[in-house]
Amino acid sequence: MPELPEVKTIQDQLNAIMPFRIQRCSLSRVADSIVHTPMDHLVGCSLLRVERKGKLLDFMLDDGRHLLSHLGMSGGWLIASEWITTKHTHVQFTSDSGYLGYVDPRRFGHMYLYDEPRAAAKLAELGHDLLSPEFTARYFKACLLRYPQRAVKVSLLDQSLFAGTGNYIANEICAHARVLPHRLVQSLSTREINKLYRAVSTVINGTITRGGVAFGGGYRDTKGDKGTGVQNLVVFYQQECQLCKKTPVVKTVLGQRGTYHCPRCQK
């Protein structure tokens, strides 16, 4: 699933072609499994810019509406100079300058065309974005301590607290903080909570600079390229811990998610 670094990469690339005036809107036969509101009257409108909160892209229209796009497990946007024929293209916009298509093989993504109040309500369901100025150490600690009997990783994955995290990010945060992902929040010291907070920037910023992380046939950016952020991973999908360079990584299941840790580095 695309997580914050991947979605931000797509956001930045989309903003490079904004504004985008929609001359034609085409939907696939099965687009209604993704598009949850009618795409009425988009022709003639312009996409002005793309904002983002967590993993939710927010296309701002010139008529004040918002096209909210969550990429789900396998979704992504493609920018092209010719009609996009890529399989599983479910939404495609045409303009004088080119084509913009939403591709989603597994169709777990979601798209909503909302007015300002409904868009604001949808965005308010998410906690502060990991890159926002509001995502402070104080906020992080307060959110983490809200559920003291949760496993640390489970709370890190809660989008109502930490918008933008995902499975690889949560694993990597715990690894860089030297904290076992299945530890209960109530067992953490103040020092460990501070280390977890600092680890967020380490993981997020390092991966963004490499254009995100791609696993196998998963994430691609708007040009169809993979990110190289997998080189930054220290435990996730690793055979050997990249922190100590000597200990085999242990994989378990926590909250129905594959969970990775180093038994030497993490306590």
Side-chain angles (χ1 to χ4, degrees):
M1 178 185 292
E3 302 180 23
L4 188 152
E6 295 76 49
V7 180
K8 179 168 172 35
T9 298
I10 291 172
Q11 175 199 11
D12 291 344
Q13 292 175 342
L14 289 171
N15 274 322
I17 66 163
M18 296 294 148
F20 185 99
R21 186 168 182 78
I22 300 171
Q23 296 179 330
R24 178 183 173 189
C25 174
S26 304
L27 304 178
S28 74
R29 292 184 300 105
V30 292
D32 59 355
S33 63
I34 297 167
V35 179
H36 300 292
T37 51
M39 305 284 271
D40 294 339
H41 311 302
L42 278 177
V43 174
C45 292
S46 291
L47 305 172
L48 299 180
R49 66 185 184 279
V50 184
E51 302 291 339
R52 181 193 56 76
K53 187 174 185 183
K55 294 178 276 190
L56 190 61
L57 291 168
D58 181 5
F59 293 79
M60 316 285 285
L61 276 73
D62 59 352
D63 62 3
R65 291 182 296 171
H66 298 246
L67 179 63
L68 302 180
S69 171
H70 192 289
L71 304 181
M73 293 289 291
S74 61
W77 287 89
L78 285 179
I79 298 169
S81 58
E82 299 180 347
W83 179 258
I84 298 169
T85 58
T86 302
K87 193 176 180 180
H88 306 298
T89 300
H90 298 297
V91 179
Q92 186 159 184
F93 299 134
T94 303
S95 78
D96 281 337
S97 56
Y99 300 86
L100 181 57
Y102 177 75
V103 181
D104 194 345
R106 300 182 69 181
R107 304 208 309 269
F108 290 157
H110 303 281
M111 205 173 295
Y112 310 87
L113 184 60
Y114 281 162
D115 59 19
E116 176 67 36
R118 291 188 72 192
K122 186 70 176 177
L123 291 165
E125 295 174 1
L126 301 171
H128 288 321
D129 184 274
L130 302 183
L131 291 177
S132 74
E134 292 83 10
F135 188 74
T136 62
R138 183 176 181 179
Y139 172 83
F140 179 81
K141 181 177 181 180
C143 287
L144 206 56
L145 295 178
R146 193 177 301 175
Y147 302 102
Q149 295 187 343
R150 272 187 184 174
V152 173
K153 186 193 165 198
V154 172
S155 270
L156 288 176
L157 287 172
D158 189 337
Q159 299 302 293
S160 71
L161 304 177
F162 311 119
T165 54
N167 199 32
Y168 88 75
I169 288 176
N171 278 278
E172 293 290 299
I173 289 171
C174 290
H176 282 281
R178 309 303 204 267
V179 170
L180 288 169
H182 55 268
R183 289 258 309 271
L184 296 184
V185 168
Q186 65 187 6
S187 75
L188 297 173
S189 67
T190 298
R191 180 171 176 270
E192 288 173 320
I193 292 174
N194 289 336
K195 287 173 68 176
L196 284 163
Y197 174 71
R198 291 194 296 271
V200 174
S201 296
T202 300
V203 175
I204 295 295
N205 294 333
T207 311
I208 287 174
T209 58
R210 290 184 176 273
V213 174
F215 300 100
Y219 156 78
R220 298 290 187 276
D221 66 14
T222 63
K223 304 171 186 176
D225 296 332
K226 297 181 180 181
T228 60
V230 70
Q231 298 173 29
N232 279 45
L233 301 181
V234 295
V235 292
F236 193 76
Y237 267 52
Q238 304 300 303
Q239 296 294 318
E240 182 179 86
C241 174
Q242 299 303 301
L243 294 172
C244 65
K245 303 285 188 181
K246 61 176 70 172
T247 309
V249 168
V250 174
K251 180 183 179 182
T252 56
V253 176
L254 178 63
Q256 299 181 321
R257 298 289 196 89
T259 300
Y260 301 79
H261 74 271
C262 173
R264 175 188 291 266
C265 296
Q266 294 171 255
K267 304 299 180 184

